[in-house]
Amino acid sequence: MIRRRFLARLLLPAVAGLSTLALAACGVEGSSGVSSPPGRGEIRAPREFSGIAWLDTEPRFAAAGSGEEPQEVFLICHDTRDNDAERDLPRLSIVRTPVDPDGIIVHELDVDFPSVPNDLESIARVPHRNEALLVESNADGDDPDPTIYLARWDEELNVEIAGSTPWPETPEPLVNVEATAVATVHGRNYFVYAERAQGSDTTNINMTRLTIRKSGRITFGKKWTSVSFTADQPPGARPASGLDIDAKGNLYISSAYDPGDLGPFDSAVYRAAVIRPGGAIGARLHPVRPAQELARSSGLKVEGVGLVDGALPIFISDDDEDYGGLLRQLRVSEPSSRPWASAVTGDDADQARGPGLQ
C-alpha cells in the first residue's frame, strides 16, 4: 500500500506546485481561467469526504503545561464512481485533526480491492476491533451488484481489504444508502443502516445480526428489526446521510439538504434511537420521540458522523461537492455530562442512563 501525504491547504505535488508558481509569476492563467497573483500558488480543497470512522488517538509530546491536544485519526471514504473519469482515483484516506494553522492532514491511500469500488458512501467501524465495513450505496440502483468490503488495519494504521460480500437481502428495496454503523450488544455484532430516502423526511433504521470471521467472511442475519426516523430539519433534507452508535447504544444520524454541486447545503445531526438487548434477534431499537436535534451545520452537507472511541465528541465529515471535503468537531447543544437527561421518558429513559452494551 502506497500512502500519499499532503496538507489539506496545499494539495499539489511538489513539481506541480513549482510549475504553478512559475506560471503565476509570469501572469499566466491557471485551469480555472483566473490569473493568480504573482508569487502565489493554487490552493485546492481536499476531495469530498463521504464516510468517516475513528481509528485512533495519537498523543502529542510537548512541554509540560503547553496544553496541546492529541490528534484524532479517522478513516475517510470517497464516493468515487467506477467510470472512466474516476476509476483510478483513491477510495480511502486517513485524516488527522490539525496541529497548526495548516489545517487537517490527509493521507490518500492506495489500497488493493478485489473489485473496483463504486460509490462508497459510508464506513461502519466494528467496536473493539481494528475492522470496519466499507459500504457501497447502490447509487439509486445504478450498481447491479453493490458490495460491502471489510477493511482491517494494524498498529501502524496500514489498511488492507480482508473480505467482501454482496449486500444482504434487506427488509425494504435497496435504493441509496449513505448511513451505516455496527453496534455490539452482549458480545454480538449488529449491522445497522438507513436509506437516505431522497424526497422524504422519514426513513427506516434497520438492524440485523452480523458475523465477521477471521478469514474475512461476512454474513448477515435473516431477521431484521426496524424503527422509523423523521428529520424535522433542515427542510427538504435527505433524512439519513451519516450514522454512528456510541458504547451506550445511542444512535446518531445526520440529515442533509443537497440542491446541487454548488449548494447551498444544510445539515442537522440527531440522536434518533437507542439500541438495547432483547427482542427476536437479541437487540432492539427504541426510537427517540421526537428525535433530539444536537447540532445544525448550515452551509455544509454532512455525510459522515464519527464518535471518538464510542463516545463524545462527535466529528462530522462533509461532502460539499465542488467545494470539496471537510472534517470538523461538532458543538453538541446539550451538556456533555448528562446530554440525554430530558430526551426520553419512562423505560427508555432508564435504559439510556443504564450501563453500556458490552
Side-chain angles (χ1 to χ4, degrees):
M1 179 185 68
I2 300 173
R3 184 176 294 175
R4 289 178 288 182
R5 181 183 186 278
F6 52 86
L7 296 179
R9 288 182 56 195
L10 184 56
L11 306 185
L12 295 177
V15 174
L18 291 173
S19 298
T20 303
L21 288 171
L23 290 173
C26 297
V28 178
E29 292 185 350
S31 60
S32 63
V34 179
S35 296
S36 300
R40 293 183 180 269
E42 185 181 64
I43 296 175
R44 299 180 65 85
R47 294 175 52 231
E48 70 286 344
F49 296 163
S50 295
I52 181 175
W54 175 84
L55 296 186
D56 196 13
T57 299
E58 295 181 342
R60 295 181 60 206
F61 300 99
S66 65
E68 289 189 346
E69 294 289 333
Q71 273 189 295
E72 301 299 345
V73 186
F74 297 91
L75 183 65
I76 298 287
C77 66
H78 308 284
D79 60 355
T80 310
R81 298 298 183 100
D82 181 13
N83 56 35
D84 290 341
E86 300 184 353
R87 186 168 295 119
D88 295 330
L89 295 176
R91 266 58 181 179
L92 300 174
S93 293
I94 287 179
V95 180
R96 287 173 167 82
T97 51
V99 297
D100 56 38
D102 282 330
I104 59 175
I105 301 171
V106 180
H107 298 260
E108 285 190 342
L109 303 182
D110 186 1
V111 178
D112 291 329
F113 284 84
S115 57
V116 179
N118 182 55
D119 203 34
L120 292 176
E121 287 279 6
S122 61
I123 304 178
R125 169 77 188 260
V126 182
H128 313 299
R129 295 163 69 167
N130 289 351
E131 296 178 335
L133 301 181
L134 314 176
V135 185
E136 291 184 339
S137 69
N138 197 37
D140 289 328
D142 290 341
D143 192 336
D145 187 22
T147 300
I148 297 175
Y149 300 93
L150 175 65
R152 285 177 176 159
W153 55 91
D154 60 20
E155 293 182 355
E156 296 182 352
L157 303 184
N158 296 305
V159 179
E160 66 176 5
I161 305 303
S164 64
T165 187
W167 262 85
E169 184 176 350
T170 53
E172 56 186 327
L174 184 66
V175 180
N176 202 325
V177 173
E178 297 182 346
T180 63
V182 174
T184 302
V185 182
H186 288 174
R188 294 180 175 179
N189 290 324
Y190 293 83
F191 176 66
V192 184
Y193 86 93
E195 285 278 348
R196 78 177 190 180
Q198 178 80 29
S200 174
D201 63 357
T202 300
T203 189
N204 289 323
I205 302 168
N206 306 295
M207 181 171 69
T208 192
R209 283 287 308 276
L210 168 70
T211 302
I212 301 174
R213 305 192 184 279
K214 290 183 179 180
S215 65
R217 184 185 177 195
I218 307 166
T219 56
F220 298 91
K222 300 297 183 182
K223 296 181 179 179
W224 294 80
T225 183
S226 306
V227 297
S228 65
F229 161 69
T230 298
D232 293 329
Q233 298 292 330
R238 303 162 178 168
S241 61
L243 180 62
D244 204 359
I245 301 166
D246 71 16
K248 292 185 177 296
N250 294 294
L251 189 150
Y252 306 85
I253 197 164
S254 61
S255 305
Y257 172 69
D258 177 10
D261 289 348
L262 295 177
F265 307 114
D266 199 359
S267 302
V269 175
Y270 295 88
R271 176 177 173 263
V274 181
I275 300 175
R276 284 292 173 260
I281 66 172
R284 296 180 294 178
L285 287 163
H286 296 266
V288 175
R289 307 282 195 210
Q292 182 183 16
E293 183 181 313
L294 304 179
R296 283 291 296 274
S297 297
S298 180
L300 305 176
K301 182 160 72 88
V302 177
E303 288 206 348
V305 179
L307 297 161
V308 173
D309 200 17
L312 298 179
I314 300 175
F315 281 78
I316 54 171
S317 61
D318 282 32
D319 176 359
D320 290 338
E321 302 297 344
D322 288 357
Y323 288 100
L326 191 69
L327 174 73
R328 289 290 187 273
Q329 181 179 338
L330 284 185
R331 180 188 180 192
V332 175
S333 58
E334 293 283 341
S336 59
S337 58
R338 291 189 65 197
W340 323 131
S342 62
V344 291
T345 58
D347 293 340
D348 283 355
D350 294 335
Q351 291 169 338
R353 290 191 291 267
L357 297 178
Q358 312 313 322

